[in-house]
């Protein structure tokens, strides 16, 4: 299933990228959805190419009942973002992978931070797939709206974070 979302924040790309690489912000977004940030690491200097790895524990209360039977009360999600160095205009791109412990889902996405007159347009495109024979398409289809919402929360919360910090 395809993921696609776009939003614009009235802040410069470097500020938005710095928020996405901030452990306190990542903790905030995890707690915002009722989860816990178990660990967070940044490799490299955020002024250039860098990567982040977040491990979160999230409740499954919003999943369909049938899904909760398979995965239990909570999920452990590992999110890795590999960020390119800024382009000449300051725009950036990250390749995102999500691994969900105990769930047969793979999520890959590309997130672009596009510089636009002092603002940042955040573009997210990706795919949710499942390796389960015969049911994989239905599993991915059911998961796609929740994955899209989870990835969008980061962008939405970045706006509030930048305005309050």
């Amino acid at each position: 299933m395809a993921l696609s979302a776009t939003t614009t924040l009235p802040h410069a790309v470097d500020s938005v990228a710095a928020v996405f690489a901030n452990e306190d912000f990542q903790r905030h977004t995890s707690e915002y959805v009722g989860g816990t940030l178990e660990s967070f690491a940044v490799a490299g200097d955020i002024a250039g190419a860098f990567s982040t790895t977040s491990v979160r524990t999230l409740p499954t209360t919003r999943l369909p009942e049938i899904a909760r039977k398979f995965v239990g009360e909570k999920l452990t999600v590992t999110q890795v973002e590999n960020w390119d160095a800024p382009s000449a205009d300051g725009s950036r791109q990250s390749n995102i992978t999500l691994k969900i412990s105990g769930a047969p889902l793979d999520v890959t996405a590309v997130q672009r931070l596009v510089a636009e007159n002092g603002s940042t347009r955040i573009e997210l495109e990706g795919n949710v797939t499942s390796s389960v024979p015969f049911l994989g398409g239905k599993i991915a289809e059911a998961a796609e709206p929740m994955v899209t919402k989870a990835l969008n929360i980061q962008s939405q919360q970045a706006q509030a974070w930048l305005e309050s910090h």
Side-chain angles (χ1 to χ4, degrees):
M1 294 303 305
L3 306 171
S4 183
T6 303
T7 189
T8 300
L9 303 182
H11 301 279
V13 169
D14 60 342
S15 296
V16 174
V19 167
F20 289 166
N22 180 295
E23 183 172 356
D24 291 335
F25 172 74
Q26 294 297 329
R27 182 171 292 104
H28 165 77
T29 57
S30 298
E31 292 169 357
Y32 179 81
V33 297
T36 304
L37 182 66
E38 302 295 333
S39 66
F40 181 75
V42 177
D45 183 343
I46 66 168
F50 69 97
S51 66
T52 64
T53 302
S54 307
V55 179
R56 295 179 175 88
T57 303
L58 302 171
T60 60
T61 52
R62 293 187 180 132
L63 293 177
E65 181 65 31
I66 192 161
R68 285 197 309 268
K69 287 181 182 181
F70 286 104
V71 298
E73 300 286 319
K74 61 183 178 176
L75 294 172
T76 300
V77 179
T78 302
Q79 180 172 336
V80 176
E81 298 184 8
N82 291 305
W83 287 86
D84 294 342
S87 64
D89 71 351
S91 295
R92 301 192 81 142
Q93 177 174 302
S94 70
N95 293 301
I96 301 170
T97 58
L98 293 177
K99 297 292 182 191
I100 303 166
S101 168
L105 292 172
D106 289 309
V107 180
T108 57
V110 174
Q111 180 172 256
R112 292 176 194 86
L113 305 183
V114 181
E116 287 186 332
N117 301 321
S119 293
T120 302
R121 185 176 71 244
I122 302 173
E123 301 172 344
L124 179 72
E125 294 180 14
N127 288 295
V128 179
T129 58
S130 176
S131 59
V132 175
F134 307 113
L135 295 175
K138 290 193 181 298
I139 293 168
E141 185 177 326
E144 184 270 330
M146 288 173 264
V147 171
T148 299
K149 185 174 182 178
L151 291 172
N152 276 329
I153 285 171
Q154 179 171 296
S155 297
Q156 294 163 355
Q157 288 299 301
Q159 168 83 20
W161 186 268
L162 284 164
E163 290 174 359
S164 66
H165 288 81

